[in-house]
Amino acid sequence: MLSATAALRALALGDSTASQLLEAHVAHIAQHNPRIRALVTLDIERARAAARAVDALPLAERARRLAGEQPLLGLPISIKDAFATQGLRTTSSHPPLANYLPAADATLVARLKAAGAIVLGKSNLSELAGDPQCWSPLFGPTHNPWDLSLTPGGSSGGSAAAIAMGFAALELGSDIGGSIRIPAACCGVVGFKASENRLPRTGHIPHLPGQPRSVRHMLSFGLLARTVADVAHAMPSLAGADGEDQEVPPLPWRPQPPLTRPLRLAWCDDFAGLPLCPRTRAGLTQALAGARAAGHQLLRRQPAGPPLAQVWRAFGVLAGSEIGLALPARQRWPLALLAGLLPASQPIAQGFAQGARLSLRRLQWALGVRDAWLRALESMLYEVDAWLCPTLLCTAWPASPPPRHGGLPAPLNIGGRRVPYLEATLSLTSLFSLSGSPVLSLPVGVLDGVPVGVQLVGRKWRDEALLAMGESLTAAWPAMPMPPGAQVDD
């Protein structure tokens, strides 16, 4: 349960060998993964060989590499099963890919390996990363470490559960509507979504292997970890163009130390009248109180941009258009036919169904709303350092399998109101998927036995500054405890 930075410090000082660190994780996985089901494919023997190679280095050489070209040397990590891993099963929880063995690593996987990280295995997700829960048609559900009856969130649910349980020190994730941030909040870990196009997508599924790329907006990548410092330490190894994904600019990563000055933070708890569950509201109140006590200035405000219902519908249209483009007509048209049946009170679902009709005019409208929303958000963020708001309307909810005949799961009960599924789960994260902003989901505590998370939103392309602010802010909050199951003596 060491943080990644603490584990790496132990390796540099010789307080632990890479093999000792790896075997501690392997034993922990063997004991606890059968009930959590976070990791679905393991690569233990190759991981052991990699650890032995690290241990064969003289201590001075190991320390030199850790301080320079291999800052993750010997660190056990896991990878969301949406990223290609050379010679290791990669499914994206999609049955036609049940036995797919990629010939090459995804760019971000290759970069983590080049930095010295040791891949232990792959983590569970919803099919093709398409659900804010984590229920795989290949591997079944991942359970929330805090309460096995609850979802860990999704789509990176296996990722967040693995970090919360100590199965890995760091996890690579992806996020198009909240897939890093939602499970981070549900499981009580840190989730970082980098600015859209800050990290290359080469080797990520979707799109399907050998198929044309359809998703061209909102998909972002990042890390899940137990501390912001862990994320900040690993990100320089991931950023930068790869020569394949031509939309990633040659923008160097410039690490920043934690800020020592007080922050000027905008905050909000009212999103077009949507309810917050009592735990979410109490967690936000605690986070604000801790920030205020630490000397940070708090300003209650929202961007002066398009109405949020319009932003949500634009997110749905853009997602539905680009995901729908890759679907066969027999799957896409039933979705498209729902567009006229869904009420305005379900703007995300309505927009997704409208997007499935593949109307260029409607797609252009959504891109126009995206531009207006990003301008408004960036304008507000010029006046403050960051925006603080809940990650979810509610904490982790009871897990349920996907409906057998399509459609959406039942509405969620939030604060005494029944809120449609997509609006209940994606409303607060989709705002910053549409804008492409960098976001940290930060755990603020445990209420009634379950974690609560908040989002810290920064200016686009200023990812390094956001991480520095996140380290400063979380220093004002209590450290997260371990989930009850992780405290069993190994």
Side-chain angles (χ1 to χ4, degrees):
M1 298 301 296
L2 288 175
S3 68
T5 48
L8 290 166
R9 187 161 51 248
L11 288 169
L13 294 174
D15 295 336
S16 173
T17 67
S19 294
Q20 289 170 336
L21 186 62
L22 176 67
E23 294 304 329
H25 284 80
V26 170
H28 199 61
I29 291 166
Q31 181 174 356
H32 299 298
N33 192 54
R35 66 186 178 86
I36 301 295
R37 299 166 75 171
L39 300 181
V40 295
T41 300
L42 297 176
D43 199 17
I44 302 300
E45 292 311 311
R46 280 203 293 183
R48 283 173 170 153
R52 289 193 295 269
V54 173
D55 293 338
L57 297 170
L59 180 59
E61 174 63 12
R62 186 197 308 170
R64 185 193 70 77
R65 293 191 188 189
L66 281 164
E69 72 270 22
Q70 288 190 296
L72 305 178
L73 186 65
L75 186 71
I77 68 168
S78 51
I79 304 292
K80 182 178 180 178
D81 198 27
F83 292 91
T85 44
Q86 184 180 29
L88 183 64
R89 182 175 62 171
T90 300
T91 72
S92 203
S93 282
H94 186 46
L97 297 178
N99 299 304
Y100 175 52
L101 295 177
D105 286 325
T107 292
L108 298 180
V109 173
R111 288 178 175 179
L112 287 169
K113 289 181 177 179
I118 297 175
V119 175
L120 264 169
K122 310 292 289 291
S123 58
N124 201 17
L125 71 155
S126 53
E127 185 173 6
L128 294 175
D131 193 332
Q133 293 195 66
C134 186
W135 200 297
S136 165
L138 290 174
F139 308 111
T142 294
H143 301 295
N144 191 306
W146 295 87
D147 182 334
L148 299 184
S149 71
L150 303 179
T151 179
S155 63
S156 309
S159 307
I163 294 299
M165 284 299 298
F167 297 163
L170 203 67
E171 167 88 30
L172 180 63
S174 56
D175 187 311
I176 194 171
S179 286
I180 288 174
R181 293 162 286 157
I182 291 170
C186 288
C187 293
V189 301
V190 172
F192 174 60
K193 177 189 89 73
S195 292
E196 182 183 335
N197 291 325
R198 192 72 197 266
L199 304 180
R201 70 188 69 203
T202 310
H204 181 267
I205 305 169
H207 54 273
L208 292 172
Q211 296 297 312
R213 176 178 159 192
S214 61
V215 177
R216 292 186 172 270
H217 297 91
M218 302 194 297
L219 179 59
S220 300
F221 305 97
L223 295 168
L224 297 99
R226 287 189 281 278
T227 71
V228 180
D230 291 349
V231 174
H233 183 79
M235 280 304 300
S237 300
L238 291 176
D242 68 348
E244 294 290 332
D245 185 346
Q246 296 300 319
E247 295 183 14
V248 177
L251 181 65
W253 188 272
R254 296 187 174 91
Q256 295 186 20
L259 298 178
T260 56
R261 63 172 176 82
L263 300 175
R264 182 177 166 89
L265 298 173
W267 69 277
C268 182
D269 64 350
D270 183 5
F271 295 86
L274 286 174
L276 298 178
C277 81
R279 287 187 292 267
T280 295
R281 189 171 293 280
L284 178 63
T285 299
Q286 289 181 14
L288 294 171
R292 188 178 289 110
H296 301 303
Q297 184 182 4
L298 302 174
L299 305 166
R300 186 170 185 167
R301 62 178 59 180
Q302 278 191 14
L308 293 185
Q310 195 176 93
V311 176
W312 287 320
R313 190 158 70 91
F315 164 82
V317 168
L318 190 50
S321 298
E322 298 196 345
I323 293 171
L325 190 62
L327 294 176
R330 66 179 184 277
Q331 294 181 16
R332 179 168 51 82
W333 275 107
L335 291 172
L337 291 173
L338 287 173
L341 303 176
L342 293 168
S345 60
Q346 298 185 43
I348 296 177
Q350 185 187 66
F352 192 91
Q354 290 173 340
R357 292 180 171 179
L358 304 186
S359 162
L360 182 58
R361 186 180 299 276
R362 188 171 284 113
L363 176 61
Q364 288 295 95
W365 171 84
L367 291 171
V369 174
R370 169 180 153 108
D371 290 342
W373 171 242
L374 178 57
R375 282 195 300 270
L377 180 58
E378 290 287 292
S379 178
M380 186 188 80
L381 290 172
Y382 271 108
E383 300 174 3
V384 297
D385 290 305
W387 192 19
L388 189 69
C389 65
T391 304
L392 284 159
L393 299 178
C394 60
T395 52
W397 59 96
S400 60
R404 291 182 61 185
H405 302 292
L408 294 172
L412 301 185
N413 189 320
I414 300 176
R417 283 173 53 184
R418 284 171 60 82
V419 181
Y421 181 72
L422 290 183
E423 285 67 29
T425 55
L426 299 182
S427 287
L428 304 188
T429 51
S430 63
L431 297 174
F432 313 114
S433 297
L434 188 67
S435 67
S437 307
V439 188
L440 271 166
S441 181
L442 302 170
V444 296
V446 179
L447 294 171
D448 300 327
V450 292
V452 180
V454 296
Q455 293 181 104
L456 189 68
V457 184
R459 288 175 58 192
K460 198 167 184 180
W461 306 116
R462 302 295 181 88
D463 303 62
E464 301 95 327
L466 179 65
L467 291 175
M469 286 187 278
E471 285 195 71
S472 175
L473 186 60
T474 52
W477 298 337
M480 278 292 293
M482 293 182 290
Q487 296 170 356
V488 176
D489 183 18
D490 290 341

